Amino acid sequence: MSPAWRKRALQSFTVTAGALPAAALVVSALTDELGANPVEHVTHVTGGWALRFLLLSLAVTPLRRLLGWSWAAPLRRTLGLTAFGYACFHYLTYLGLEHFFDWQLIVEDVLERRYVTAGFAAFLCLVPLAVTSTRAMVRRLGRRWVSLHRLVYLAAALGVIHFLWLVKSDLREPLVYAAVLALLLGLRALPWLARSRSRKPTLNEA
Amino acid sequence: MLIRRADAIKSSEITSLDLFLRRREFLRGAGWVAAGAVLAPTLACGAEGEARPLAPRAGADANPFRTDEKPTAFKDATRYNNFYEFGTDKSDPRRYAGSLRTRPWSVAITGEVGKPGTIDLDDLLRPHSAEERIYRLRCVEAWSMVIPWLGIPLGEIIKRFEPTSGARYVAFKTLLDPEQMPGQRSRVLDWPYLEGLRIDEAMHPLTILATGMYGQELPNQNGAPLRLVVPWKYGFKSIKSIVEIRLARTEPPTSWNLQAPREYGFFANVNPDVDHPRWSQKRERRIGELRKRPTILFNGYADQVAHLYQGIDLRKYF
């Protein structure tokens, strides 16, 4: 199997896997299986997958660095864009089916309810990342692209906070996401910590 | 259990609609002395004040005991439930409530009553006829349903146990048994679930203890075998699977209020003008409908219950 073919197969697999939850929702909608509160169900499902794919996209770099899975590198963009797709689906459901595009209500909601504010801010963070995800934009922005794409950490943190703030009393599920995010961010801090520790002895020697 | 349908009531026992609508006038005429020493201290404030309109307001139910609004599909009312004793997902209660044994079942009536004791549920219900009540149910999470309940006015049951003059509140407790209620193994709430009403709220004719719905026995996930229904308050007040009713001198602790006092008050009256700190209460989604509809003060039962809260700042006492 040639490396190029393998790469393409992996991409197709990721794209297909990313589309499955959306396909399942469509099937549920067509067979009237969305439950008693379909709008709530669609909102929860799409929000959940946006967060899960965002965390998966954040797992690529640590896996590449720690386990040497260099083949996974191109999946980062696919997973990130899948997350953005679900975030759009989630946001459109909120605008259209929760509020029927009543902009006055929507503005009030975003300003007054902190979980909505957090979710909206997370979505705003994702927009420039999706827009600058093309190869041409990566080339054009150069080093600034790397700085800009650090926004993904903020987006993920806001996404987890959005979830934590909206549940009534059962924090278990959002706390799982918070733990995964902490782990993924912690793994990024490891090499940085190791470097700062190894620097100290050289200073002492000098 | 024998469920007596509403049509089993002797016609002589049924209050005429006309008399019902004029009941305050009737009661005022009869004099509050007759209402008894028990109710006098708490109801007195509601007896005074300007004359209220005798006819229902435009848009209100012609008969508040049986709204004309279309009942929610049975399928939705039994698959979309908040009953954290069986899990926090709305589909959990239907999935896991099968482990609840609803017979034999006994209820303890304690506190400020002349005849306290623990009574078998069938003995508790035997002297009464279940009536059908079609009520709106508004959840604090901004969704609502219309449910045809079968139940008994709570006031009728309480009177049998002869409340003392010290009975100013009624406290309710749900079964505590993690074997039967697997959700109680996780500490999402401080179990057992507790709820409470002021005595005048408990004695109000709209307040019932339900034993059935949709013409049949209560499904486990809906609070079998005995649950409270207080239609003008958010759904969490309507405690399920009750094992204890205690008449109390002081305001009893209630589960959601203990969990988050800023978010859930003791009264928890449906009120579109007092938002939950984290979401709006102005509108609600009626299950089965797509677009949200405006929420109505006291869930549309203002004509019947607003007088209970005269002079009370509903923003402070939410």
Side-chain angles (χ1 to χ4, degrees), chain B residues 3-63:
Chain B
I3 294 172
R4 273 153 293 207
R5 296 294 307 273
D7 52 15
I9 306 170
K10 276 182 283 179
S11 61
S12 60
E13 288 174 6
I14 299 175
T15 308
S16 77
L17 177 61
D18 180 53
L19 182 61
F20 172 75
L21 294 172
R22 289 188 293 112
R23 67 199 180 286
R24 294 203 188 91
E25 188 186 43
F26 172 79
L27 281 175
R28 262 198 297 272
W32 277 92
V33 183
V38 177
L39 300 183
T42 37
L43 281 181
C45 60
E48 305 155 4
E50 81 290 2
R52 276 174 290 275
L54 301 180
R57 263 186 292 207
D61 303 295
N63 176 356

Side-chain angles (χ1 to χ4, degrees), chain A residues 40 98 165 167-168 170, chain B residues 80 88 141 278 285 292:
Chain A
E40 182 189 72
E98 188 65 23
W165 278 349
V167 293
K168 238 165 80 186
D170 189 357
Chain B
Y80 189 78
T88 55
E141 297 167 357
R278 291 185 285 143
R285 177 171 292 117
K292 290 191 165 188

Side-chain angles (χ1 to χ4, degrees), chain B:
Chain B
M1 188 192 74
L2 174 70
I3 294 172
R4 273 153 293 207
R5 296 294 307 273
D7 52 15
I9 306 170
K10 276 182 283 179
S11 61
S12 60
E13 288 174 6
I14 299 175
T15 308
S16 77
L17 177 61
D18 180 53
L19 182 61
F20 172 75
L21 294 172
R22 289 188 293 112
R23 67 199 180 286
R24 294 203 188 91
E25 188 186 43
F26 172 79
L27 281 175
R28 262 198 297 272
W32 277 92
V33 183
V38 177
L39 300 183
T42 37
L43 281 181
C45 60
E48 305 155 4
E50 81 290 2
R52 276 174 290 275
L54 301 180
R57 263 186 292 207
D61 303 295
N63 176 356
F65 290 151
R66 300 174 66 92
T67 177
D68 290 334
E69 291 191 63
K70 186 171 159 270
T72 301
F74 178 77
K75 185 182 165 202
D76 290 340
T78 51
R79 286 169 199 232
Y80 189 78
N81 309 103
N82 277 327
F83 198 172
Y84 281 16
E85 281 80 346
F86 298 104
T88 55
D89 194 276
K90 300 259 189 314
S91 58
D92 286 340
R94 177 169 179 269
R95 208 172 294 156
Y96 303 115
S99 53
L100 177 69
R101 294 184 302 271
T102 56
R103 287 296 187 286
W105 190 275
S106 54
V107 181
I109 318 267
T110 61
E112 295 289 328
V113 283
K115 297 197 290 185
T118 299
I119 182 167
D120 181 79
L121 180 62
D122 295 319
D123 296 331
L124 179 74
L125 301 175
R126 193 161 292 123
H128 306 276
S129 309
E131 304 169 23
E132 188 173 59
R133 300 286 180 90
I134 308 173
Y135 286 158
R136 285 175 289 276
L137 170 77
R138 168 60 155 83
C139 178
V140 76
E141 297 167 357
W143 53 266
S144 62
M145 295 184 180
V146 175
I147 312 277
W149 301 107
L150 290 166
I152 298 153
L154 173 63
E156 286 184 15
I157 290 181
I158 288 179
K159 274 182 213 151
R160 270 172 56 203
F161 295 87
E162 299 172 3
T164 70
S165 59
R168 297 183 59 228
Y169 293 90
V170 186
F172 305 86
K173 191 191 281 181
T174 294
L175 176 70
L176 174 65
D177 184 354
E179 292 294 312
Q180 294 186 60
M181 297 181 145
Q184 290 177 336
R185 287 173 210 158
S186 26
R187 300 206 49 117
V188 286
L189 284 172
D190 199 2
W191 311 112
Y193 195 85
L194 305 171
E195 257 310 333
L197 295 171
R198 224 169 49 187
I199 190 78
D200 54 346
E201 298 173 328
M203 305 303 286
H204 192 283
L206 281 171
T207 305
I208 59 166
L209 282 178
T211 54
M213 62 187 227
Y214 295 84
Q216 58 187 72
E217 276 195 46
L218 267 184
N220 285 4
Q221 64 267 34
N222 294 87
L226 187 72
R227 66 167 291 168
L228 184 68
V229 178
V230 196
W232 69 93
K233 292 175 179 285
Y234 291 120
F236 69 86
K237 292 296 290 183
S238 293
I239 182 171
K240 304 183 180 87
S241 306
I242 297 168
V243 292
E244 188 185 319
I245 299 173
R246 180 173 58 89
L247 282 285
R249 284 182 178 271
T250 53
E251 187 184 294
T254 58
S255 286
W256 279 104
N257 182 247
L258 291 173
Q259 176 79 10
R262 279 184 58 252
E263 303 190 353
Y264 310 99
F266 174 79
F267 285 104
N269 292 316
V270 174
N271 189 340
D273 301 323
V274 179
D275 282 345
H276 184 282
R278 291 185 285 143
W279 58 81
S280 168
Q281 296 291 26
K282 287 187 190 68
R283 299 177 317 137
E284 66 199 49
R285 177 171 292 117
R286 177 66 53 84
I287 296 304
E289 295 176 358
L290 194 57
R291 286 195 89 129
K292 290 191 165 188
R293 49 164 75 206
T295 286
I296 309 169
L297 182 64
F298 297 118
N299 204 20
Y301 299 98
D303 284 342
Q304 290 75 44
V305 301
H307 69 277
L308 300 178
Y309 309 101
Q310 251 170 26
I312 287 180
D313 181 357
L314 295 174
R315 288 185 172 279
K316 196 171 166 209
Y317 297 96
F318 53 85

Side-chain angles (χ1 to χ4, degrees), chain A residues 50 80-90:
Chain A
L81 283 173
T82 307
F84 182 67
Y86 282 103
C88 288
F89 198 162
H90 180 66

Side-chain angles (χ1 to χ4, degrees), chain A residues 16-205:
Chain A
T16 312
L20 279 179
L25 265 188
V26 172
V27 170
S28 302
L30 293 176
T31 53
D32 196 21
E33 287 297 324
L34 291 176
N37 195 343
V39 178
E40 182 189 72
H41 181 73
V42 172
T43 308
H44 287 177
V45 169
T46 53
W49 284 107
L51 195 52
R52 283 188 278 276
F53 279 108
L54 197 58
L55 293 177
L56 277 174
S57 79
L58 283 173
V60 171
T61 301
L63 285 175
R64 192 163 54 87
R65 283 201 194 134
L66 295 173
L67 303 177
W69 291 7
S70 53
W71 51 266
L75 297 183
R76 193 170 64 164
R77 176 168 64 184
T78 315
L79 291 167
L81 283 173
T82 307
F84 182 67
Y86 282 103
C88 288
F89 198 162
H90 180 66
Y91 189 50
L92 279 173
T93 310
Y94 167 80
L95 293 181
L97 297 177
E98 188 65 23
H99 289 308
F100 276 83
F101 301 106
D102 184 331
W103 298 107
Q104 197 188 327
L105 269 176
I106 291 163
V107 169
E108 188 192 297
D109 218 23
V110 169
L111 295 179
E112 282 183 15
R113 327 226 173 275
R114 58 181 193 169
Y115 83 91
V116 186
T117 315
F120 182 67
F123 180 74
L124 284 187
C125 288
L126 290 179
V127 174
L129 305 190
V131 170
T132 59
S133 65
T134 61
R135 219 158 276 158
M137 283 307 264
V138 178
R139 238 175 290 134
R140 227 168 99 188
L141 290 170
R143 289 184 65 83
R144 280 176 300 163
W145 188 91
V146 180
S147 313
L148 177 68
H149 277 249
R150 291 212 174 99
L151 261 182
V152 74
Y153 304 135
L154 183 61
L158 285 166
V160 170
I161 290 169
H162 170 63
F163 194 6
L164 268 170
W165 278 349
L166 75 88
V167 293
K168 238 165 80 186
S169 81
D170 189 357
L171 296 174
R172 287 171 297 179
E173 201 188 342
L175 283 178
V176 169
Y177 289 96
V180 170
L181 178 63
L183 176 73
L184 292 173
L185 296 182
L187 289 174
R188 284 173 165 76
L190 273 182
W192 179 80
L193 281 173
R195 235 179 294 141
S196 63
R197 212 174 300 149
S198 63
R199 223 173 273 145
K200 256 180 198 162
T202 39
L203 281 174
N204 288 348
E205 280 159 24

